[in-house]
Amino acid sequence: CVSIGCNTDPSKNLKCVNASEWWSQCVACSEEAFDEDCGFWTEDLLVAAEAACSTTCSVPHPRPRPTPKPCVPATLAGCPASLSCVKKDDNWAQCVDCDPERFELECPYLWDANFIAAAEETCGRKCLGERNSQCVSIGCNPDPSKNLTCVSSHPKWSQCVDCSPAAFQQDCGLWSKKLLVAAEAACSTRCSARLRLL
């Protein structure tokens, strides 16, 4: 909602949340939608969204998510020496860390499909979803040892679920009911965790 407003349909319960002077995002404030989304936001967006929606994120933030730093689309200038300017389109470019570990950490959380393709080309890397990351615009890492399955809980939300027994039980108590039901079906197992979001 940087250049447009959020859908005003009351059933969607959307609020435009300002994460910084140059980034705003429509946030669904319903409890289920908020908890499905909040674990993937930057720290700045999370703090602002919790205030705007008068709630807190019950999903732990496993890793810090940096706030995107814009650069100049026309010239690809404006990034520190350690980062590359990646152009999504004529209106948006952002600094990206092409270091393998940072790229793997950041790419599933901050980018849409067009930007991911540009970042993959710039950095010479493939963006793959890891445990608990989104798989809406990317696929889950196909490495068999990771045992990941892309599970959809909503037409606009899917996430990589680790179907190995220990990981599944560790994660499942934090999922929304819709994601839990879909993940149990996809992984052919049941959640026995005590804490379950209803």
Side-chain angles (χ1 to χ4, degrees), residues 17-154:
V17 175
N18 295 315
S20 71
E21 64 184 79
W22 51 268
W23 180 252
S24 300
Q25 176 173 321
C26 295
V27 169
C29 290
S30 67
E31 185 178 340
E32 184 175 343
F34 193 91
D35 277 338
E36 279 192 13
D37 299 342
C38 66
F40 302 98
W41 295 334
T42 65
E43 198 61 36
D44 292 341
L45 178 60
L46 176 63
V47 170
E50 285 178 333
C53 295
S54 300
T55 190
T56 55
C57 183
S58 63
V59 178
H61 250 217
R63 306 173 185 137
R65 315 251 192 270
T67 299
K69 178 179 178 3
C71 50
V72 183
T75 63
L76 302 181
C79 293
S82 62
L83 304 178
S84 299
C85 184
V86 175
K87 179 180 174 179
K88 174 189 167 196
D89 54 39
D90 290 339
N91 300 310
W92 180 256
Q94 155 182 336
C95 300
V96 171
D97 192 332
C98 291
D99 172 78
E101 285 185 22
R102 293 305 305 174
F103 188 86
E104 179 183 306
L105 170 69
E106 295 172 7
C107 74
Y109 299 101
L110 304 177
W111 308 340
D112 71 12
N114 291 340
F115 190 78
I116 288 172
E120 287 176 332
E121 184 176 333
T122 298
C123 295
R125 306 200 178 289
K126 181 78 175 153
C127 182
L128 296 169
E130 299 295 338
R131 179 176 170 186
N132 294 324
S133 75
Q134 63 91 4
C135 51
V136 176
S137 59
I138 59 173
C140 297
N141 191 324
D143 180 346
S145 70
K146 297 195 178 223
N147 205 11
L148 297 175
T149 299
C150 185
V151 175
S152 180
S153 61
H154 184 273

